Amino acid sequence: MIASRQKMLAIVCGGGPAPGINSVISSVTIEARKNGWEVLGIYDGFAHLCKGIKNVVPLTIDMVSRIHYDGGSMLRMSRANPTKAEESLRKAVETLLDLGVTHLVTIGGDDTAYSAFKISEYATQQLGMSLQVVHVPKTIDNDLPLPEGVPTFGFETARALGAQLVSNLMEDARTTGRWYFAIAMGRTAGHLALGIGKSASATLTIIPEAFGTGQIRLQNLVDLLTASIIKRLALKRDYGVAVVAEGIVEKIAPEDLKNLEAHCFDEHGHIRYAELNFPELLKQAVMKNLCDLGVKMTIVGKEIGYELRCAPPNAYDIEYTRNLGYAAFDFLRNGGSDALITIQNNRITPISFAEILDMQTKKTKVRMVNIHSIQYQIAKEYMVFLEKDDLDDSMKLKALAAVTKLSEGDLVKRFAAVAL
């Protein structure tokens, strides 16, 4: 009788950090070890695997028993993309199999989920080997295709800390008479920006979903912000904070960003927002707008994101990630594979990779903010935008025009397009 193959579970962390990664690592490792499985931690995401390098560490219960309180990732991580070239994918799969790995837990966002799917597919279809894979959805962007109301882990911690930072900026703005443009992380969707802006009672929050499916011109965004500043001044408030989702950049017409250099894009083809310096670009454009209108205002651009990613997880995310780690192992132990793990209505609910893939792009679907939801409608109710009523009401229009050097008629012509 042939002895059964020793079960070896590997853990890979891909993409950017998020609060709670260590808690998942801890939970998965403890459950696997309790059941007699070996556990390997893979350092630096797929970076070494893609090159056929075995940079790993055996994980034990003692090593991980208290790391759930820590931010960051004990295994570090990277955005290395094993699907970028067939050779990289082959080396990643062969290296895992050569290490004796029978089961793989990936922790990451949409790109890592897609990489996990391709690794499992390659092992089965090209090498005829079984490699059971489960993905734990991680991103402070909250944009993986989970059911509405089910967050990705790390989001709640990031939102809470981001709201505290924006609240501090709001008080500084009030005290000093200035505006802040806080650009919040969120590569495509506006979940984090909206969560931060609503929780901190920011003056307004701008997310890409609010502009529909088409492209927008940079000048439209600039006019929208300019109009809000003018309205606040007309209300005798010379300060404010605008939270802007960085994903808005992906909606701006390419000709408005034509000077982007190659280093502004990562291995998955996404814009590196830190390289773009979007806060400064937006600040300068609005300052020029205001200057042309005869309005004096100090504006400070701030990025909010890197401060959030490696924060220690809050109680919600610790409990959530321990649950997800347990659920991921339970799924594999019971023969499951090729799925993203979720917990819905207090039940472990896997979602197959096939369900979360966009069949046209062959990439993972992205969950956008539902702008028709009551949560968004309430958030918008408390934002300060220029409204059509402001331009139709003679008293309000007079107050707005008095802030600028425009006549009332010229002000209507200038900003009617961005009045909501």
Side-chain angles (χ1 to χ4, degrees), residues 367-381:
R367 176 174 64 180
M368 308 299 284
V369 172
N370 178 6
I371 61 172
H372 303 295
S373 67
I374 188 64
Q375 288 86 355
Y376 180 74
Q377 294 302 317
I378 292 172
K380 189 176 177 183
E381 193 68 27

Side-chain angles (χ1 to χ4, degrees), residues 88-105:
S88 296
L89 184 59
R90 176 181 60 80
K91 285 185 176 180
V93 175
E94 289 180 347
T95 304
L96 286 168
L97 295 174
D98 196 45
L99 285 165
V101 173
T102 57
H103 298 76
L104 177 66
V105 174

